[in-house]
Amino acid sequence: MDVLFEGQAEIRFTHPDDFREWVRTHKKREPVEKLMTEREAIARLVSDGDYLAYDFSSLTRGPQALVREIIRQRKRDLWVCAEFTLHESALLVGSGCASRIDVGFMGYGSYIGKVVAEGRVRVFEWTNGSLAFRMLAGARGIPFIPMRNLLGTDTLRHSGAKVVQDPFTGDPICLVPALNPDVFLVHVHQADVFGNARIFGTNLFALEAAMASKKVIVSCEEIIDPSEFRKEPSKTTIPYFLVDAVVHLPFGAYPGGVQGRYDLDLEHIDKVNAITNDQEMQVYLQEYIYDIEDHTTFLEKKVGWKRLQELIRRAAIKEGYH
Amino acid sequence: MDVLFEGQAEIRFTHPDDFREWVRTHKKREPVEKLMTEREAIARLVSDGDYLAYDFSSLTRGPQALVREIIRQRKRDLWVCAEFTLHESALLVGSGCASRIDVGFMGYGSYIGKVVAEGRVRVFEWTNGSLAFRMLAGARGIPFIPMRNLLGTDTLRHSGAKVVQDPFTGDPICLVPALNPDVFLVHVHQADVFGNARIFGTNLFALEAAMASKKVIVSCEEIIDPSEFRKEPSKTTIPYFLVDAVVHLPFGAYPGGVQGRYDLDLEHIDKVNAITNDQEMQVYLQEYIYDIEDHTTFLEKKVGWKRLQELIRRAAIKEGYH
Amino acid sequence: MGVVEFTDTELMICSAARLLEDRKTVFVGWGMPQVVAMLAERLYTPNLVQVFEFGAIGPRSLTPFVRGTMGGPSNVYQSLQWINMNWAFSYAVTGYIDYGMIGALQVDLYGNVNSTLLGGTYERPGRRFPGSGGGNEVASLCWKTIIVLKHEPRRFVKLLDFVTSPGYLDGPGAREKAGLPRGTGPWRVVTSKALIGFDEVTKKMTLLGVLRGVKVADVLEGMGFEPLLDAKLQEIEPPLDEELRILRQEVDPSGLIIRGERMRTER
Amino acid sequence: MGVVEFTDTELMICSAARLLEDRKTVFVGWGMPQVVAMLAERLYTPNLVQVFEFGAIGPRSLTPFVRGTMGGPSNVYQSLQWINMNWAFSYAVTGYIDYGMIGALQVDLYGNVNSTLLGGTYERPGRRFPGSGGGNEVASLCWKTIIVLKHEPRRFVKLLDFVTSPGYLDGPGAREKAGLPRGTGPWRVVTSKALIGFDEVTKKMTLLGVLRGVKVADVLEGMGFEPLLDAKLQEIEPPLDEELRILRQEVDPSGLIIRGERMRTER
């Protein structure tokens, strides 16, 4: 295949056959109980050096409690898919967990920009659309997928995409490699103990990433009975056999919100965005993550029931979220 | 792009830019009333020579009333996407409407096999999966999509796919061209007058094909108020701006069933499958299509309310279909 | 012990059902494979996850089986997930589907399958059949493919009239060389007389077992090629009473699916 | 007629909102474009179909605007369809999206956009910003892209520090040659002083209008390149009372989005 142009980024690429082999040997087909604590899930399933992806953003239905647990366990050398992300990149880099970032949207706040400028984390350039498309290719079991964009830009130059001549039209077309993360974190509205999961509202690539990833950790607001899924199969976002761990974490998206359940806590989010240097970062990490045992303790000591009640109260819109 | 192997089938291929141009100039973005009779919809939107696709099968939620109207209007030279299809191919060929078929699964009954053997219709070889994947590429606006199958077979040889060396793995990979039908027919549970549509249960490629096709005709069991869609946006299968006509056709899938509504009528289906030659085909077409004014008359004179009541009664499973 | 009477179809359904493993996934093709999966689920593999190409994942299909249905409510009853065709095949491509089950008009020594045409040319076939459907996907992408076909010698041919779905193509390594997923391929051929596997090294068909009372020579007679013979040739037990009861009373009381050529064997 | 006071942000929001057409679709980026769409929907384009990259199609976003939100319940209120990112961008690739709206750190003469970094090298940028987000998709795939940025001369440069999202690249025909969809490209640049278009033939930026009371020389001063001047230069009306009322009272009563440099102009 004649390559007209090649982006220079390093890519984390898994041969589709190697991914299949992983699925064959590691993914249980039968329903087994996968309920565990966040400590157990992250300890068992996230390894140093893993490629990490997650669904939605710090503001809405992001897997924030799981991300905090990764930081708490001081995982190292993670490669992060910064798709549509806001402050996760900053926290994961500031805590020394992440060393590489595939950039879709790297988040606001000045901290992350600064550490990138200082060369303390390696970044590779993609876009929200191309990372989502790479995930789709990963879920379709194909090594790459063509795109009509990235073309003509420095984004392409600093990505891992290739440009070839399309054999059907003769035009140049961009090919992006499949993405098969090692770990996918997703926070959902409802799950059962086997891992069946429901999201209400939109998602970035929940099913794509669950299918494309070697290890999938679901945290949920609510545990429901497995029979519920079989009554309304159209509502199933992720079937159990893609999932490796289920963690029951009410308010697990805090300080972000979960549609129909609770609103985001902008005050806390501003606190994270206000971090400008390592010292402030360490203070935040110490206070909200390292010194806190787990998510329940975090809610109890660092948020408080009164605040949570207020966030629930603010989530007045319930339409469509059931 | 180095092509290692090339299937020899003729393909209906639309350059993605030409498809975009069609969408730009023909597809109304605002909600306008699109309710019309089946006669009007087919007369306006199906032209001789069109490439035709439809969702699901003769047995379940197929757009049978719309297909009968196409036959009634004696459209000619259609190229049919026989994806997961059963007796539609036979009827469309037997009536002289279709001259070319992209075969996924061409249907049972001996009639269609016979006319293919006699060379009276041109066939091109694909698979259910590759036709669905071609539709996905059409909906993604990309000229082709890679697949891990078709490879190594005569199906590939008689398809329009190409094999190239994958620039990411170095392995051979199959590329199938995007499919952008001229017309897509879909029968749904609920629609509004603007074309918003809901399907309950599984589908083949309802949204893919609606997005990939130049003209989309929705027939529905039930017309509901547009505000309903905005209350539960996750249930919207197809948004109105993809749709060109809405036809209210209760029992529009007959003799197939619609999940949660009415069961299939196996006796009538057997009647179609029993057709073995042109004479029998003409008798069937005359009695059930040509001599019948429209769908309502068909139900009244050829099925009867008693039979329909029985089919409704048999559709006892309602779980998930709402 | 007496004599058991059954049809060739019933025998194939029962033999195939016994092959499936519990706690695994199976991609179920149209027709007989559906009935096989239903029988297996009721008798042998309660935790089998069925996957249908039209997007039903993990249904617990209701009996009786509705003839011809694929996608009807009793077929997709209590699924885990309802989605669409591209997603259904995605589960197969990414390695989530352990078994696939398809029918065939013809097979060859390497388990390549024809379901497209018999005789003539592509443009003017002697007889034309439905084509691949999802068969090519199943045979290409599932880990182990089970082929079910009637034991008629003319169906076992040296050279297929058309290669619809890939077996081991022309021998060891050929699938991988063609670009098909590594480690996949036909695993068993279930016929109305025999159970056939594939030699690990040569990838050639290997006779693993014959129906009780049937001679190996009867199985091989008239086949267009000679399969290898397994060192430990098994005897295939005819349909069990319980299998037949479920098939005849629960799954297909109308008898329209399980009908076929009548056979009898000692119990 | 008196004097009207407003911020540069308010001006840009109002100017951009006036550009949108009713009964069209718009791909809405994060931040200011969301507020533009809300204002337009309330005042000018009640039938505008908003599309968000995270899968909300056609929402009727509620006011007040929740700062930072993209995907929250009031943001996606009463959508036509909730789906995911790949589908959202599919609407853009297939030609269904008429307008796209994005911000920029820098633009050049051909409307190429930088939102990635300023100064230094790629590995060691002087300052690093969030990157493309969905900006590259929007600028590549929507029919007409509107770029909104503050009128600071240093933002209008001869050579971008980084080309994040494509304008007309290096001139006429370059987008098509690169493989981008035919007939797309930047359409307007909305700044805090001017409205800029692109010449149909040369694809170069063309000054279409300046804010009432602002001199053309003020607009051009310090820019790294000189745009063409349209023969019929328009005067841009400052924010109307009704626009400001909606922005300040309904959309952003907290004033956190619409705050900015204070400006004043004769009514």
Side-chain angles (χ1 to χ4, degrees):
Chain A
M1 191 127 109
D2 233 30
V3 174
L4 306 174
F5 183 85
E6 199 159 347
Q8 56 198 224
E10 187 185 336
I11 58 171
R12 176 66 67 96
F13 182 75
T14 306
H15 191 292
D17 282 346
D18 295 334
F19 183 75
R20 285 176 55 92
E21 198 61 46
W22 172 277
V23 166
R24 183 180 207 176
T25 52
H26 289 76
K27 291 289 191 174
K28 286 208 173 71
R29 272 61 160 160
E30 74 267 31
V32 290
E33 281 222 11
K34 294 164 192 157
L35 201 59
M36 55 186 90
T37 64
E38 69 266 39
R39 180 179 300 173
E40 215 177 332
I42 299 297
R44 274 201 210 171
L45 293 163
V46 182
S47 302
D48 290 354
D50 271 358
Y51 189 104
L52 176 71
Y54 34 80
D55 200 54
F56 241 74
S57 87
S58 331
L59 298 169
T60 305
R61 207 180 42 71
Q64 302 309 309
L66 294 177
V67 169
R68 283 190 290 268
E69 182 61 27
I70 286 178
I71 294 170
R72 195 175 288 124
Q73 294 191 19
R74 297 177 192 263
K75 300 291 181 184
R76 286 295 174 267
D77 200 26
L78 301 178
W79 188 333
V80 173
C81 178
E83 160 87 355
F84 192 73
T85 190
L86 293 166
H87 68 228
E88 294 90 341
S89 304
L91 294 178
L92 286 166
V93 170
S95 59
C97 298
S99 59
R100 283 174 288 192
I101 302 180
D102 279 342
V103 178
F105 185 86
M106 207 169 31
Y108 59 167
S110 64
Y111 180 83
I112 184 68
K114 205 173 283 180
V115 294
V116 172
E118 289 166 6
R120 291 161 52 196
V121 58
R122 293 181 62 197
V123 292
F124 309 104
E125 230 45 38
W126 299 91
T127 64
N128 282 347
S130 59
L131 287 173
F133 228 41
R134 292 183 61 194
M135 203 70 90
L136 181 69
R140 296 300 191 217
I142 51 180
F144 63 86
I145 195 162
M147 288 192 79
R148 296 295 309 276
N149 63 294
L150 292 186
L151 295 152
T153 63
D154 289 330
T155 308
L156 172 68
R157 185 178 304 275
H158 292 280
S159 77
K162 299 179 197 285
V163 179
V164 300
Q165 194 189 22
D166 167 10
F168 291 94
T169 64
D171 300 338
I173 185 98
C174 180
L175 308 182
V176 295
L179 185 52
N180 291 100
D182 294 304
V183 190
F184 175 55
L185 310 179
V186 58
H187 186 68
V188 307
H189 289 74
Q190 299 177 327
D192 68 16
V193 295
F194 305 132
N196 289 306
R198 286 175 176 172
I199 290 170
F200 302 121
T202 69
N203 68 87
L204 293 188
F205 44 36
L207 180 53
E208 285 95 325
M211 202 179 283
S213 298
K214 288 186 174 176
K215 297 171 282 184
V216 176
I217 304 177
V218 167
S219 66
C220 63
E221 288 296 322
E222 192 183 358
I223 295 280
I224 62 172
D225 193 81
S227 65
E228 295 297 318
F229 287 90
R230 294 189 183 269
K231 284 181 197 153
E232 302 198 70
S234 295
K235 287 191 177 172
T236 305
T237 311
I238 303 172
Y240 72 80
F241 51 85
L242 304 182
V243 174
D244 299 280
V246 178
V247 189
H248 188 194
L249 294 173
F251 301 100
Y254 180 91
V258 167
Q259 303 94 328
R261 300 248 171 185
Y262 50 92
D263 207 0
L264 73 180
D265 188 346
L266 272 172
E267 277 176 43
H268 190 101
I269 287 165
D270 284 345
K271 202 178 300 215
V272 181
N273 294 331
I275 294 169
T276 60
N277 59 44
D278 284 325
Q279 201 195 333
E280 289 167 14
M281 176 58 80
Q282 287 310 311
V283 168
Y284 178 88
L285 294 174
Q286 202 68 47
E287 177 172 356
Y288 290 98
I289 301 180
Y290 297 141
D291 283 353
I292 304 293
E293 201 182 314
D294 58 16
H295 179 61
T296 306
T297 314
F298 173 85
L299 293 179
E300 202 176 289
K301 295 206 177 148
K302 291 292 151 188
V303 189
W305 185 236
K306 202 174 146 190
R307 183 71 179 153
L308 294 177
Q309 283 289 57
E310 168 65 17
L311 299 177
I312 291 172
R313 199 187 53 71
R314 279 195 214 156
I317 301 169
K318 307 288 181 191
E319 261 182 33
Y321 300 118
H322 54 82
Chain B
M1 189 127 107
D2 234 30
V3 175
L4 306 176
F5 183 86
E6 200 159 347
Q8 56 197 226
E10 188 185 336
I11 58 171
R12 176 66 68 96
F13 182 75
T14 306
H15 191 292
D17 282 347
D18 294 334
F19 183 75
R20 285 175 56 90
E21 197 62 46
W22 172 277
V23 166
R24 183 180 207 175
T25 52
H26 289 78
K27 290 290 191 173
K28 288 209 173 71
R29 273 59 160 158
E30 74 267 29
V32 291
E33 282 222 11
K34 293 163 192 159
L35 201 58
M36 55 187 88
T37 63
E38 70 266 38
R39 179 180 298 173
E40 216 176 333
I42 299 297
R44 274 200 208 171
L45 293 164
V46 182
S47 302
D48 291 353
D50 272 359
Y51 189 104
L52 176 71
Y54 35 79
D55 199 54
F56 241 74
S57 85
S58 331
L59 298 170
T60 305
R61 207 181 43 69
Q64 302 309 311
L66 294 177
V67 169
R68 283 190 290 268
E69 183 62 27
I70 286 178
I71 294 169
R72 194 175 286 125
Q73 294 191 19
R74 298 177 192 264
K75 300 291 180 184
R76 285 296 175 264
D77 200 25
L78 301 178
W79 187 335
V80 173
C81 177
E83 159 89 354
F84 192 73
T85 190
L86 292 168
H87 69 228
E88 294 90 341
S89 305
L91 294 178
L92 286 165
V93 170
S95 59
C97 297
S99 59
R100 281 175 289 191
I101 303 180
D102 279 342
V103 178
F105 185 87
M106 207 168 34
Y108 58 168
S110 64
Y111 181 83
I112 183 68
K114 205 174 284 181
V115 294
V116 172
E118 290 167 6
R120 290 161 55 194
V121 57
R122 291 183 62 197
V123 292
F124 309 104
E125 228 47 37
W126 298 90
T127 63
N128 282 348
S130 60
L131 288 173
F133 228 41
R134 292 183 61 193
M135 204 70 92
L136 180 70
R140 297 299 191 215
I142 50 179
F144 63 86
I145 195 162
M147 288 192 80
R148 296 295 308 277
N149 62 295
L150 291 187
L151 294 152
T153 63
D154 289 331
T155 308
L156 172 68
R157 186 178 303 275
H158 292 280
S159 78
K162 297 180 199 285
V163 179
V164 300
Q165 194 189 22
D166 167 10
F168 291 93
T169 64
D171 301 336
I173 184 101
C174 179
L175 308 181
V176 295
L179 185 54
N180 291 100
D182 294 305
V183 189
F184 175 55
L185 311 179
V186 57
H187 185 68
V188 307
H189 288 76
Q190 299 178 325
D192 69 14
V193 295
F194 305 133
N196 289 305
R198 286 176 176 171
I199 289 171
F200 302 122
T202 69
N203 67 87
L204 293 188
F205 44 37
L207 180 54
E208 285 95 325
M211 201 178 282
S213 299
K214 289 187 173 176
K215 299 170 282 185
V216 176
I217 305 176
V218 167
S219 66
C220 64
E221 289 295 320
E222 192 182 0
I223 294 281
I224 62 173
D225 194 80
S227 65
E228 294 298 318
F229 287 90
R230 294 189 184 269
K231 283 181 198 152
E232 301 197 72
S234 295
K235 287 191 177 172
T236 305
T237 311
I238 303 171
Y240 71 80
F241 50 85
L242 305 181
V243 174
D244 298 280
V246 178
V247 189
H248 187 194
L249 294 173
F251 300 100
Y254 181 92
V258 167
Q259 304 93 329
R261 301 247 171 185
Y262 51 90
D263 205 0
L264 74 179
D265 188 345
L266 272 173
E267 278 177 44
H268 191 101
I269 287 167
D270 285 344
K271 201 178 301 218
V272 182
N273 293 331
I275 294 170
T276 60
N277 59 43
D278 284 325
Q279 200 194 334
E280 289 166 14
M281 176 59 81
Q282 286 311 311
V283 168
Y284 178 88
L285 295 173
Q286 201 69 45
E287 177 173 356
Y288 290 98
I289 302 179
Y290 297 141
D291 281 353
I292 305 293
E293 201 181 315
D294 57 17
H295 179 62
T296 305
T297 313
F298 173 84
L299 293 179
E300 204 177 290
K301 295 206 178 152
K302 293 290 150 189
V303 189
W305 184 237
K306 201 174 148 192
R307 182 75 180 153
L308 293 176
Q309 284 288 57
E310 167 65 16
L311 298 177
I312 291 172
R313 199 186 55 71
R314 281 196 213 155
I317 302 169
K318 306 289 181 190
E319 262 182 33
Y321 300 117
H322 54 83
Chain C
M1 292 284 278
V3 157
V4 55
E5 299 199 350
F6 49 90
T7 68
D8 52 355
T9 312
E10 287 173 333
L11 171 66
M12 288 187 283
I13 292 169
C14 297
S15 298
R18 296 173 199 162
L19 289 176
L20 293 171
E21 271 180 286
D22 199 19
R23 303 170 188 283
K24 293 288 179 185
T25 49
V26 58
F27 212 105
V28 181
W30 188 65
M32 205 197 293
Q34 293 176 279
V35 178
V36 171
M38 288 175 106
L39 176 64
E41 195 175 277
R42 272 152 192 76
L43 211 49
Y44 302 117
T45 60
N47 297 294
L48 184 69
V49 181
Q50 299 183 41
V51 173
F52 286 97
E53 61 180 330
F54 57 81
I57 314 296
R60 293 170 172 165
S61 307
L62 282 181
T63 51
F65 176 66
V66 180
R67 182 166 51 91
T69 193
M70 201 167 186
S74 66
N75 184 207
V76 304
Y77 190 60
Q78 292 205 337
S79 296
L80 276 173
Q81 187 183 37
W82 286 340
I83 196 151
N84 66 12
M85 184 172 280
N86 280 315
W87 279 115
F89 283 125
S90 292
Y91 287 110
V93 193
T94 49
Y96 274 98
I97 313 298
D98 301 300
Y99 293 92
M101 214 188 313
I102 59 171
L105 292 170
Q106 293 180 322
V107 287
D108 68 13
L109 181 64
Y110 291 109
N112 300 301
V113 166
N114 175 14
S115 53
T116 302
L117 58 86
L118 290 177
T121 63
Y122 177 73
E123 288 72 22
R124 287 294 184 93
R127 290 181 68 191
R128 170 76 209 202
F129 294 84
S132 158
N136 184 285
E137 277 77 23
V138 171
S140 300
L141 307 173
C142 299
W143 287 109
K144 295 173 173 181
T145 300
I146 299 169
I147 302 162
V148 183
L149 83 169
K150 212 172 153 172
H151 204 95
E152 297 167 328
R154 62 184 169 93
R155 290 174 177 271
F156 292 82
V157 297
K158 200 162 246 157
L159 198 66
L160 296 180
D161 293 1
F162 193 95
V163 182
T164 310
S165 303
Y168 292 105
L169 303 177
D170 57 4
R175 281 176 74 94
E176 290 75 5
K177 204 178 143 206
L180 291 166
R182 191 176 66 214
T184 56
W187 175 65
R188 292 288 183 270
V189 181
V190 174
T191 81
S192 45
K193 285 184 181 168
L195 178 67
I196 302 169
F198 292 85
D199 180 66
E200 276 193 27
V201 177
T202 63
K203 301 299 183 189
K204 289 181 182 171
M205 272 199 195
T206 305
L207 189 64
L208 300 179
V210 295
L211 178 64
R212 178 178 300 163
V214 172
K215 295 197 186 79
V216 171
D218 285 351
V219 166
L220 301 181
E221 193 190 331
M223 282 172 71
F225 57 85
E226 198 161 328
L228 308 181
L229 297 188
D230 193 65
K232 298 166 291 192
L233 213 61
Q234 307 159 30
E235 181 186 81
I236 299 169
E237 180 128 16
L240 304 175
D241 290 344
E242 183 62 3
E243 289 171 336
L244 290 174
R245 190 192 64 74
I246 291 173
L247 278 182
R248 293 172 185 175
Q249 289 174 27
E250 290 183 28
V251 175
D252 187 26
S254 73
L256 287 166
I257 312 291
I258 57 178
R259 66 185 171 185
E261 198 182 318
R262 300 180 75 98
M263 300 174 72
R264 47 187 296 157
T265 299
E266 278 175 38
R267 180 50 94 223
Chain D
M1 292 282 279
V3 156
V4 55
E5 299 200 347
F6 49 90
T7 68
D8 52 356
T9 312
E10 287 173 334
L11 172 64
M12 288 188 283
I13 292 168
C14 297
S15 298
R18 295 171 198 163
L19 289 176
L20 292 170
E21 271 180 285
D22 199 18
R23 303 170 188 283
K24 293 286 181 188
T25 49
V26 59
F27 211 106
V28 181
W30 189 65
M32 204 196 293
Q34 294 176 278
V35 178
V36 171
M38 289 175 105
L39 176 64
E41 194 175 278
R42 272 150 190 76
L43 212 50
Y44 302 118
T45 59
N47 296 294
L48 185 69
V49 181
Q50 298 183 43
V51 174
F52 286 98
E53 59 180 331
F54 57 81
I57 315 296
R60 291 170 173 165
S61 307
L62 281 182
T63 52
F65 176 66
V66 180
R67 181 166 53 91
T69 193
M70 199 165 186
S74 68
N75 183 207
V76 305
Y77 191 60
Q78 293 204 337
S79 296
L80 277 173
Q81 185 182 39
W82 285 341
I83 196 152
N84 67 12
M85 184 171 280
N86 280 315
W87 279 114
F89 282 125
S90 292
Y91 287 110
V93 194
T94 49
Y96 274 98
I97 313 297
D98 301 302
Y99 293 93
M101 213 187 315
I102 58 172
L105 291 170
Q106 293 181 321
V107 287
D108 68 13
L109 180 63
Y110 291 110
N112 300 301
V113 165
N114 175 14
S115 52
T116 302
L117 58 87
L118 290 176
T121 62
Y122 176 73
E123 287 72 22
R124 288 294 184 92
R127 291 182 68 192
R128 169 75 208 204
F129 295 84
S132 159
N136 183 285
E137 276 78 23
V138 171
S140 300
L141 307 173
C142 299
W143 288 108
K144 296 172 172 180
T145 301
I146 298 169
I147 302 161
V148 183
L149 83 171
K150 213 171 151 171
H151 203 95
E152 296 168 330
R154 61 185 168 92
R155 292 175 175 269
F156 294 82
V157 297
K158 200 162 249 158
L159 197 66
L160 297 181
D161 292 0
F162 192 95
V163 181
T164 310
S165 303
Y168 293 105
L169 302 176
D170 58 3
R175 282 176 73 93
E176 290 75 5
K177 204 179 143 204
L180 291 165
R182 190 175 68 213
T184 56
W187 175 64
R188 292 288 183 269
V189 182
V190 174
T191 81
S192 46
K193 284 183 181 169
L195 178 67
I196 302 168
F198 293 85
D199 181 66
E200 275 192 28
V201 177
T202 64
K203 302 298 182 190
K204 290 180 182 174
M205 271 197 193
T206 305
L207 189 64
L208 301 179
V210 294
L211 178 64
R212 179 178 301 163
V214 173
K215 295 198 186 80
V216 170
D218 287 350
V219 167
L220 302 181
E221 194 189 331
M223 283 173 69
F225 56 85
E226 198 161 328
L228 308 180
L229 297 185
D230 194 64
K232 298 165 290 187
L233 214 60
Q234 308 158 29
E235 180 186 84
I236 299 169
E237 181 128 15
L240 305 174
D241 291 344
E242 183 63 3
E243 290 171 337
L244 290 174
R245 189 192 64 74
I246 289 172
L247 278 182
R248 292 172 185 175
Q249 290 176 27
E250 290 182 28
V251 175
D252 187 26
S254 73
L256 287 165
I257 312 291
I258 58 179
R259 67 185 172 186
E261 199 181 317
R262 301 180 73 97
M263 302 175 71
R264 46 187 295 157
T265 298
E266 278 176 36
R267 179 50 95 223

